[in-house]
Amino acid sequence: MLAGGVLVGAVNIYLAASLLPTAVADIGGERLYAWNMTVFLTAQVVATMLVSRALSRHGNVGSYLIGFGVFAAGSVVCAVSPAMPVLLVGRGAQGLGAGLLTGLGFALIYSALPRHLWVRGSALISAMFGVGNFVGPALGGLFAQFGSWRAAFVVLAVAAGVMAACVPRVLPRSGRGRGKTEAVPLPLGSLMLVVGATGAVSIAGILSNEALIAVCIALALALLMAFAVTEKRSKDRVLPRQTYQTGSALRWVYLTIAFLAAGIGVEAFLPLFGQRLGGLPPVAAGFFGATLSLGWSASQVVSSSAREQRTVRRLRVAGPGLLTAGLAVLALLQHRDASLLLVIAWLPVLFLAGTGIGLAMPHLSVAAMASTPDKTEGEKAAAAIATVLTMATAFGAAVAGLLVNLSGPSLLTSARYLLLGFAAISALGILTALRANHLAQPIEGRPEDEDESEAKRTAGHGR
């Protein structure tokens, strides 16, 4: 159920991107075309910040029903839209539902699963983003091929409705030790600053003027700095208070997650490079673009089996290291009119880069969840993973557009700028991961055997 909630949102991102050209041809609104993703991403980030409040007021089951319900309602609005403004309203509702479901997925790993399953739960949920990159374009292309873009949104609504019907049967009624009457204040100031930052970076992603893109990104960074200052001084926070405490590893964990997630921004341009530089047909070029996600999804299955703390710390650093190496090598392999053999060599390099994300991401997620013994703060730390992921993805897309535009008309230069630029961003993740490991060592002295013992005890009681 937790993975399915994340999956419907992930599929929707890529499915809608495939359907929008067909929808515009039907209902018009080409000038508002790019705002579909802007509205969706902004709403998604906002919703991830409201997870703790939703859980405190409605509990696990109620919050999931709201998430699936809002997503289904938004999908229905999209399906019946007579004009683009109405479609944008539906996309906003979809973003709210998808963001809430994504944040709930991480939060309920913390509250509904025993600790020894946190790594596997985080790996499964994170892998859904990669799965969505395969399923979304395939479904979208299929429906677009037959001109049935409205039917695609109906399918999303039905899927959300079916999963909502299963929620009361599979989820615990409330979080561990949490009650529905415990109200969580709405951090309105922080919320508005993040909305502004997300909106600015989303607008940057749809502009073509380099100067305006740079201004939007600078504004977004300034708003994020204001967000950090506001959060540190406020009693009502989005991120847990440990994020702002001196000597805490949590801020470095979140930064490492952000640098890894931002690397996905290169995916949008990989099919273009495959077609123009490698001479690939569109179908094959699209597969190349999804190879990064395939490596991300597959490697998490292997990574989630690691339990010894020394190995876990190494994986957190190796993840951004592999992503950096993969993107840098791929940049060197970019050539005009590349041979088929050279283009095929892109595949293992892309897979290696994606593997870096999968090796580190589940263990970084668990590091955030385990950063505090307080259950309320731990739940907030878990939900904030989704906020960091969605924000980093939006920033990654905008930075990717900026790097491609800075390179001028040469597509080869664009490819190298993009890949080397994101290799540098990923390299920052190595430094933040090392810092997080250094600060976390004193609290990670507890052996994971405690979780194994807990698992054996609960199994003995018939759990």
Side-chain angles (χ1 to χ4, degrees), residues 43-66:
Q44 187 178 32
V45 173
V46 169
T48 62
M49 300 171 64
L50 301 177
V51 170
S52 296
R53 182 175 176 85
L55 287 171
S56 69
R57 292 175 64 90
H58 306 290
N60 296 341
V61 172
S63 297
Y64 255 91
L65 291 176
I66 291 173

Side-chain angles (χ1 to χ4, degrees), residues 49-397:
M49 300 171 64
L50 301 177
V51 170
S52 296
R53 182 175 176 85
L55 287 171
S56 69
R57 292 175 64 90
H58 306 290
N60 296 341
V61 172
S63 297
Y64 255 91
L65 291 176
I66 291 173
F68 280 120
V70 172
F71 182 84
S75 299
V76 170
V77 171
C78 290
V80 300
S81 296
M84 183 58 71
V86 179
L87 183 64
L88 291 178
V89 173
R91 292 287 287 155
Q94 281 187 320
L96 289 173
L100 185 58
L101 291 171
T102 302
L104 287 170
F106 285 102
L108 263 70
I109 286 175
Y110 177 88
S111 63
L113 296 181
R115 178 167 174 159
H116 68 277
L117 292 180
W118 283 1
V119 176
R120 295 185 184 275
S122 299
L124 179 62
I125 284 185
S126 298
M128 292 303 102
F129 293 102
V131 173
N133 197 6
F134 283 96
V135 178
L139 285 178
L142 179 64
F143 282 102
Q145 182 70 31
F146 295 99
S148 304
W149 65 272
R150 297 182 187 274
F153 287 111
V154 172
V155 169
L156 285 177
V158 171
V162 170
M163 296 201 70
C166 299
V167 166
R169 299 184 179 184
V170 300
L171 290 184
R173 281 287 166 180
S174 63
R176 196 168 51 194
R178 296 287 305 275
K180 291 186 181 182
T181 59
E182 182 186 347
V184 174
L186 180 66
L188 187 59
S190 299
L191 190 64
M192 296 303 296
L193 289 170
V194 168
V195 169
T198 307
V201 76
S202 298
I203 292 172
I206 64 178
L207 296 174
S208 57
N209 184 281
E210 296 90 335
L212 291 177
I213 293 175
V215 169
C216 287
I217 292 180
L219 175 61
L221 291 173
L223 290 172
L224 285 180
M225 292 177 64
F227 166 79
V229 173
T230 302
E231 283 269 290
K232 189 173 183 179
R233 296 176 178 176
S234 175
K235 293 182 179 180
D236 304 328
R237 301 180 179 93
V238 173
L239 302 179
R241 61 176 178 269
Q242 287 79 8
T243 310
Y244 308 100
Q245 291 178 348
T246 303
S248 171
L250 187 55
R251 72 183 73 176
W252 303 104
V253 170
Y254 283 147
L255 283 172
T256 308
I257 292 174
F259 289 134
L260 283 172
I264 305 169
V266 304
E267 281 188 331
F269 293 93
L270 291 176
L272 176 64
F273 300 153
Q275 291 183 53
R276 301 285 181 84
L277 299 178
L280 297 172
V283 175
F287 177 76
F288 272 66
T291 305
L292 191 74
S293 292
L294 176 62
W296 176 10
S297 301
S299 62
Q300 293 192 97
V301 178
V302 179
S303 174
S304 63
S305 299
R307 302 189 64 82
E308 203 274 324
Q309 282 300 319
R310 182 179 299 177
T311 302
V312 168
R313 287 194 291 268
R314 288 174 177 172
L315 288 174
R316 292 175 192 163
V317 178
L322 281 176
L323 181 60
T324 301
L327 294 177
V329 171
L330 189 62
L332 298 177
L333 293 178
Q334 301 301 303
H335 294 279
R336 188 176 288 105
D337 299 325
S339 66
L340 180 60
L341 184 62
L342 183 62
V343 174
I344 292 176
W346 296 0
L347 285 174
V349 176
L350 279 168
F351 189 86
L352 177 69
T355 297
I357 302 176
L359 288 180
M361 192 67 75
H363 299 290
L364 290 167
S365 299
V366 171
M369 296 177 195
S371 61
T372 172
D374 183 87
K375 289 183 173 62
T376 301
E377 289 293 296
E379 190 175 84
K380 184 180 293 186
I385 297 170
T387 304
V388 174
L389 280 171
T390 51
M391 284 289 292
T393 302
F395 265 89

